Amino acid sequence: MLALHGGSPYRDTESRPFPARTPFGDEEIRLVTKALRSQNLFRWGGELTPLFESRFAEAYGVKHAVGSTSGTAALHVAVGTVNPEPGDEIITSAITDLGTIIPILYQNAVPVFADTDPETLTVDPEDVERLITPRTRAIIAIHLFGNACRMEALAEISSRKGIPLIEDCCQAHLTGYRGKLLGTFGDIGCFSFQQSKHMTTGDGGMTITNDDALGRCMRSFADKHYDRDRAGSRMYGPLGMNCRITELHSAVGLAQLEKVGRVVASRNRLGGRLSEGIEHLDGIVPAPVTPGATHSYWSYPMRVTGYSNETFARALNAEGIGASAGYIGDPIFQCSAALAEHRTYGDSRFPFFSPYTDRTFEYADDMCPRTRELLGQLVMLSFNEQYTDGDIDDVAGAVRKVASGLQRVR
Ligand SMILES: Cc1ncc(COP(=O)(O)O)c(C=O)c1O
């Protein structure tokens, strides 16, 4: 009997808890102590930040990496570098964290949302192409949950149309796709070091590029466009931001960079094992893997068809398994008052209503229908790189138990 209906749980987590994630160790402590002992935590003048940035760039085989305070900031550095005109449009995915969208709005551009491809659970390149207008200034491809977007198609559209391609790799650190790493296909790649990410500094971010001009602009934008090469009194360039990383974050980041390969390899293996454990079940769709991708499973997105995803997640919780229904519950444009109600700058409704464009932007309920349907089927399964094979087998076993015992709704 299902634990939800009074049966005993598949896993008794009182006596056998799942491993909690413990990302930090002695090396982080050593390097943070070193940062503090240096008496300078500011990125300029510190030793650790240049080292962290150069090692990060080396890990991705690119020329430039600029550290920042969050994934949102890393994306802000990217969008600020692309420098849209007010009212320009930036096409992105309807499933993401608001951190992808905030920088678009703060740079006075309008987010335009493309639908989701159920085969990859990432943005559908055909829908991206359909949405391009003369005002499209960039595409932000989001490698959701650690799975690759169809990058050949997106890169081809970007180069044919001459539109910059930004990759949001916040959930896809060191993730492979057809022999290259995500973040190196587009013009700019962006990463988050928030606590739940494959490598973490609590909060933090990095923006990478192989292009010298973009790299110079990224570094300058993140530093208020402060002209540090100038002798004498200070001067600033165009409007920038302070997104600077600190030596404390770089200290932790340096230690994390040594581990992230192992974290990603473990998650890839465990996620694959979980998929094998739940394949061929009626009404269960394991996490899709884009052909050619090495999924890094920031999280495990299972879909249920024919069950309520909320009841399924609750039934799993009763079995002792960490699970939640949906990721965001609705497309992102319905999860944020800034987008749904145009609550941005005072009462202006800018940039959705603006003299800088002929269009007005309202996000209709029937936009991105596949995204809505997919989100209504998602059950996110919790695991981390420290799970054993036995732990994963328990997650899979509990999914099988719930799938066979839970009432179908259609
Ligand atoms: C896909 C995606 N983009 C952007 C962000 C924003 O990153 P941060 O929370 O570090 O600002 C996140 C973080 O959750 C994310 O998952």
Side-chain angles (χ1 to χ4, degrees):
M1 193 200 286
L2 294 185
L4 189 67
H5 302 144
S8 44
Y10 194 88
R11 170 118 170 189
D12 176 0
T13 50
E14 293 268 308
S15 58
R16 292 178 56 231
F18 285 106
R21 194 169 179 234
T22 51
F24 306 123
D26 291 343
E27 188 59 2
E28 283 82 358
I29 293 169
R30 187 183 75 77
L31 287 167
V32 167
T33 307
K34 181 172 172 177
L36 286 166
R37 290 226 160 95
S38 78
Q39 300 299 337
N40 172 57
L41 297 181
F42 186 44
R43 71 148 297 152
W44 298 113
E47 276 177 23
L48 298 175
T49 299
L51 197 58
F52 181 36
E53 290 177 334
S54 68
R55 287 202 185 151
F56 198 94
E58 204 180 303
Y60 284 84
V62 295
K63 289 196 261 175
H64 306 276
V66 176
S68 59
T69 48
S70 65
T72 307
L75 280 144
H76 200 159
V77 170
V79 176
T81 297
V82 165
N83 199 15
E85 293 295 328
D88 276 354
E89 297 156 26
I90 296 187
I91 302 173
T92 189
S93 164
I95 311 182
T96 188
D97 179 87
L98 198 65
T100 314
I101 311 304
I102 290 167
I104 300 175
L105 293 174
Y106 270 100
Q107 289 305 119
N108 300 322
V110 187
V112 173
F113 296 100
D115 213 347
T116 308
D117 170 10
E119 301 294 318
T120 64
L121 281 183
T122 62
V123 76
D124 177 354
E126 273 180 29
D127 209 37
V128 169
E129 176 144 23
R130 183 182 68 80
L131 292 167
I132 290 174
T133 74
R135 294 301 301 272
T136 305
R137 189 67 187 88
I139 298 164
I140 303 183
I142 299 159
H143 304 300
L144 198 67
F145 306 131
N147 191 32
C149 296
R150 293 188 193 274
M151 286 315 290
E152 289 95 338
L154 291 171
E156 191 277 324
I157 294 167
S158 148
S159 80
R160 176 160 44 83
K161 301 274 188 181
I163 298 171
L165 178 58
I166 297 169
E167 291 177 77
D168 178 339
C169 307
C170 289
Q171 301 182 2
H173 285 256
L174 222 58
T175 301
Y177 180 65
R178 299 193 193 277
K180 280 172 68 171
L181 288 172
L182 296 180
T184 65
F185 285 83
D187 299 278
I188 302 179
C190 306
F191 297 81
S192 162
F193 305 137
Q194 179 271 338
Q195 179 72 28
S196 69
K197 301 301 164 24
H198 298 86
M199 58 177 283
T200 176
T201 62
D203 257 325
M206 192 71 80
T207 312
I208 65 172
T209 186
N210 222 5
D211 181 290
D212 291 334
L214 291 177
R216 267 194 308 278
C217 187
M218 278 159 34
R219 185 164 300 284
S220 180
F221 180 89
D223 188 28
K224 310 176 194 169
H225 275 306
Y226 184 156
D227 183 355
R228 291 190 186 268
D229 294 330
R230 186 175 192 273
S233 57
R234 63 174 74 184
M235 283 295 288
Y236 302 90
L239 186 62
M241 247 289 168
N242 178 358
C243 305
R244 290 185 303 246
I245 196 166
T246 72
E247 285 283 280
L248 282 176
H249 293 87
S250 296
V252 178
L254 270 168
Q256 290 279 300
L257 197 53
E258 292 296 308
K259 302 175 182 172
V260 64
R262 290 192 293 280
V263 170
V264 167
S266 170
R267 283 181 177 245
N268 170 260
R269 198 182 68 74
L270 294 172
R273 187 178 180 96
L274 181 48
S275 289
E276 279 171 25
I278 60 174
E279 65 187 355
H280 309 311
L281 292 175
D282 209 20
I284 300 291
V285 186
V289 181
T290 306
T294 313
H295 205 311
S296 56
Y297 296 102
W298 168 70
S299 185
Y300 189 97
M302 177 178 83
R303 274 164 58 210
V304 294
T305 57
Y307 300 94
S308 146
N309 65 331
E310 297 202 347
T311 316
F312 205 104
R314 262 193 296 117
L316 281 172
N317 295 155
E319 300 296 341
I321 305 301
S324 56
Y327 158 57
I328 46 177
D330 290 304
I332 189 70
F333 49 82
Q334 293 190 313
C335 299
S336 149
L339 297 170
E341 298 165 27
H342 302 144
R343 283 168 61 186
T344 47
Y345 304 98
D347 292 328
S348 68
R349 306 180 82 186
F350 184 85
F352 307 104
F353 290 75
S354 119
Y356 297 100
T357 165
D358 300 336
R359 292 178 67 187
T360 54
F361 294 85
E362 290 193 83
Y363 302 116
D365 284 352
D366 57 358
M367 262 176 52
C368 302
R370 279 176 290 155
T371 300
R372 195 177 309 279
E373 185 183 3
L374 291 166
L375 287 170
Q377 297 172 338
L378 267 188
V379 176
M380 307 302 296
L381 301 177
S382 304
F383 80 92
N384 66 54
E385 62 278 2
Q386 292 171 229
Y387 274 39
T388 64
D389 288 357
D391 294 327
I392 290 293
D393 294 347
D394 277 354
V395 177
V399 170
R400 289 197 300 272
K401 178 181 170 187
V402 172
S404 67
L406 195 67
Q407 177 87 36
R408 305 283 287 253
V409 289
R410 52 189 178 274

